């Protein structure tokens, strides 16, 4: 199999890989929120829950739980991902960064990674397997349709 054939096959599966990525990312983020809000999965900070309405921990947990669930399901993905990304940027710069410059030093790796991957979803969209497509009856996004038509007319770049 040539590299251009492999690249073409990988390009065809891109929406499904992105959809699976979105599902796993949303699930992991929702688990963080569930731990803080409901005390499950080890609870907040090693046990218990965050106090209802406490700034910023309760609001962060709420965004994690609801936003993660929406992203996982593929409902309003770009908007939910934008809000989730912003909450993680806030968490990094307000909670982690003041104690040290680099994420490895300030235990902010998770916040930094979540921030950037959610921002990526803002630009890529939900990929395949999104509930939005079922609810709206949409089969493919204009970008996916355009990409498929371009693949048929010119060689795929590596």
């Amino acid at each position: 199999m040539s590299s251009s054939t492999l690249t073409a096959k990988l390009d065809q599966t891109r929406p499904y890989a992105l959809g699976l990525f979105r599902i796993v990312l949303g699930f992991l983020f929702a688990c963080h929120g569930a731990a803080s809000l409901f005390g499950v999965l080890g609870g907040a900070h090693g046990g218990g829950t965050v106090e209802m309405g406490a700034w910023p921990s309760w609001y962060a947990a709420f965004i994690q739980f609801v936003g993660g669930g929406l992203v996982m399901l593929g409902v309003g993905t770009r908007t939910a991902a934008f809000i989730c990304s912003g909450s993680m940027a806030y968490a990094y710069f307000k909670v982690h960064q003041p104690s040290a410059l680099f994420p490895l030093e300030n235990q902010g790796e998770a916040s930094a990674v979540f921030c950037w991957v959610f921002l990526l979803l803002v630009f890529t969209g939900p990929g395949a397997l999104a509930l939005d497509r079922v609810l709206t009856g949409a089969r493919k996004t204009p970008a996916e349709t355009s990409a498929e038509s371009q693949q048929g007319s010119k060689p795929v770049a590596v």
Side-chain angles (χ1 to χ4, degrees):
M1 180 181 288
S2 71
S3 66
S4 62
T5 305
L6 177 60
T7 300
K9 291 209 180 284
L10 290 172
D11 286 342
Q12 289 174 347
T13 61
R14 182 182 300 145
Y16 298 99
L18 182 58
L20 289 172
F21 172 79
R22 173 189 45 79
I23 291 166
V24 171
L25 175 67
F27 174 74
L28 293 173
F29 204 59
C31 285
H32 276 276
S36 296
L37 291 174
F38 310 118
V40 296
L41 305 169
H45 310 291
T49 61
V50 294
E51 182 183 339
M52 177 125 179
W55 177 259
S57 56
W58 186 86
Y59 295 92
F62 182 80
I63 290 170
Q64 290 167 357
F65 183 67
V66 174
L70 291 172
V71 167
M72 180 177 65
L73 296 172
V75 177
T77 302
R78 289 176 191 247
T79 303
F82 183 75
I83 293 168
C84 292
S85 177
S87 75
M88 289 295 95
Y90 179 87
Y92 182 78
F93 287 110
K94 278 303 249 189
V95 176
H96 299 285
Q97 198 274 329
S99 65
L101 179 61
F102 295 108
L104 188 59
E105 296 174 310
N106 63 30
Q107 288 75 47
E109 300 103 322
S111 295
V113 170
F114 273 126
C115 176
W116 283 104
V117 296
F118 279 118
L119 188 62
L120 181 64
L121 280 181
V122 171
F123 290 95
T124 63
L129 310 171
L131 195 53
D132 264 349
R133 293 183 182 199
V134 174
L135 298 174
T136 63
R139 304 289 297 170
K140 294 180 182 173
T141 65
E144 290 172 345
T145 305
S146 173
E148 287 177 3
S149 65
Q150 288 176 358
Q151 283 179 359
S153 63
K154 56 183 173 177
V156 177
V158 178

